[in-house]
Amino acid sequence: FKFSKVLSTWNYMMLINTCPHLRPFQLADPGGPSLERKGAHPCSSPGGHPPTQAPSSWGSAFLSSHPQSRPCPHPLDLAILRHQRFRKLFDLSTPVLLWGGLFTPELWDNLRQQKGPYGWQGLSHQTIASTLSLLNSSENERLFAASGGPSPDCIRCAVVGNGGILNGSRQGLQIDAHDYVFRLNGAVIKGFEQDVGTKTSFYGFTVNTMKNSLISYQNLGFTSVPQGQDLRYIFIPSSIRDYLMLRSAILGVSVPEGPDKGDRPHTYFGPEASASKFKLLHPEFISYLTKRFLKSKLINTNFGDLYMPSTGALMLLTALHTCDQVSAYGFITKNYQKYSDHYFERVKKPLIFYANHDLPLEAILWRDLHKAGILWLYQR
């Protein structure tokens, strides 16, 4: 019985004591998935008006740790708590990132039995250990910086996919108004600022999707990976390539082996790419997302070994497990046929359904999360 679950149940008891209007909503299983989340205000509710300060019953410890209260009007963890289906699926205590402090013999023994991106089957212990040993600071442990940036009371995130629905949307200012903006793969910005904004806080990718995007969309404006002093990179560890590229990027050396042998990571991430700029999704987090949210029928087909959630899905679900409010732009909607595959294409092209992703399943998930008030999905 983990401490996080005790804390979660305690928080829920505090919540119903200080917020009488929430008392009809109960946890289906007090020992079940943890809904403990940093930053959500206990009395905020959809349709209601959150208080301007924390309840006095929370005491001086809460008040001193939240000196600039900026409560969320609709924190997603409360929307999860109210929803019969999603409160059974979400476990907000699941570690999102993998770093050196989590690398143990037990973890190695467990993950070496699982294929990528869910584990390390076929990968050498030396490669994994030497990579994770470089991710040894608090910057690698958590997604958001410990100091500076927005108030921790409400972290508002925008996740920007590359769907054609964004062409002509004029959503740029709204996207940039979020505290953090996630982008991925072929994130073309120049020439589309009014539609997709200019701010980039996190860039998510696998080495495969990053390099394929640079090749496929070069003539459409994606000539380099986003760079910036405050930008952070989120590696999705789909294969050995990601660990080798990550290790080489931190050390400032060329990739020593594999399909990317000789690649110089600084050409992608810039010359000042220290370890603090990199995050690594935990394989167990990817496995948890797949089993609970995107368990596709493709798993039981000839393409089962290839299947994994799309890069966009992994970034959006990462945001849903770390932010207090999440807006999704450029993701598949029911009327996707009206739009081109990508917003930066000059000629309309139909959306391509690849065998290694289940985009229809993802579309249903985004629709349901939007209806539940857990995320806001841009639609036209």
Side-chain angles (χ1 to χ4, degrees), residues 210-226:
M210 177 187 73
K211 295 184 72 172
N212 283 346
S213 296
L214 287 168
I215 295 170
S216 301
Y217 310 133
Q218 182 178 14
N219 293 334
L220 296 173
F222 190 65
T223 57
S224 64
V225 171

Side-chain angles (χ1 to χ4, degrees), residues 144-332:
F144 306 115
S147 59
S151 165
D153 291 302
C154 187
I155 296 176
R156 296 168 170 88
C157 299
V159 185
V160 185
N162 299 323
I165 192 172
L166 286 178
N167 190 297
S169 66
R170 304 184 71 85
Q171 293 297 302
L173 289 178
Q174 287 81 0
I175 290 171
D176 287 348
H178 290 76
D179 297 318
Y180 296 96
V181 177
F182 295 69
R183 300 185 194 271
L184 52 115
N185 295 343
V188 179
I189 292 178
K190 187 176 181 180
F192 297 92
E193 293 88 348
Q194 289 189 333
D195 293 336
V196 303
T198 61
K199 184 176 182 177
T200 305
S201 311
F202 299 100
Y203 175 74
F205 62 98
T206 69
V207 170
N208 184 60
T209 62
M210 177 187 73
K211 295 184 72 172
N212 283 346
S213 296
L214 287 168
I215 295 170
S216 301
Y217 310 133
Q218 182 178 14
N219 293 334
L220 296 173
F222 190 65
T223 57
S224 64
V225 171
Q227 296 182 10
Q229 181 178 355
D230 297 325
L231 190 150
R232 298 294 182 263
Y233 298 102
I234 302 178
F235 272 80
I236 299 170
S238 65
S239 71
I240 188 66
R241 299 175 68 185
D242 301 288
Y243 293 99
L244 291 172
M245 181 68 75
L246 175 55
R247 180 179 181 275
S248 299
I250 296 173
L251 294 176
V253 300
S254 298
V255 178
E257 59 181 293
D260 309 298
K261 182 177 180 179
D263 266 14
R264 295 176 295 173
H266 70 83
T267 61
Y268 304 119
F269 312 118
E272 305 299 326
S274 63
S276 63
K277 291 189 74 69
F278 299 105
K279 318 286 183 180
L280 178 65
L281 283 193
H282 201 307
E284 289 185 337
F285 178 65
I286 301 174
S287 179
Y288 147 79
L289 295 180
T290 303
K291 291 176 181 177
R292 295 206 183 187
F293 297 93
L294 293 169
K295 192 173 183 178
S296 172
K297 293 180 180 179
L298 292 173
I299 295 174
N300 299 318
T301 69
N302 293 334
F303 303 105
D305 287 343
L306 297 176
Y307 173 75
M308 64 179 288
S310 69
T311 307
L314 291 174
M315 287 300 98
L316 185 47
L317 287 164
T318 294
L320 286 169
H321 284 74
T322 52
C323 307
D324 298 303
Q325 288 187 343
V326 175
S327 305
Y329 298 85
F331 282 79
I332 185 172

Side-chain angles (χ1 to χ4, degrees), residues 112-123:
R112 70 180 179 136
Q113 310 295 329
Q114 313 298 325
K115 295 180 180 179
Y118 314 111
W120 300 324
Q121 189 176 99
L123 307 187

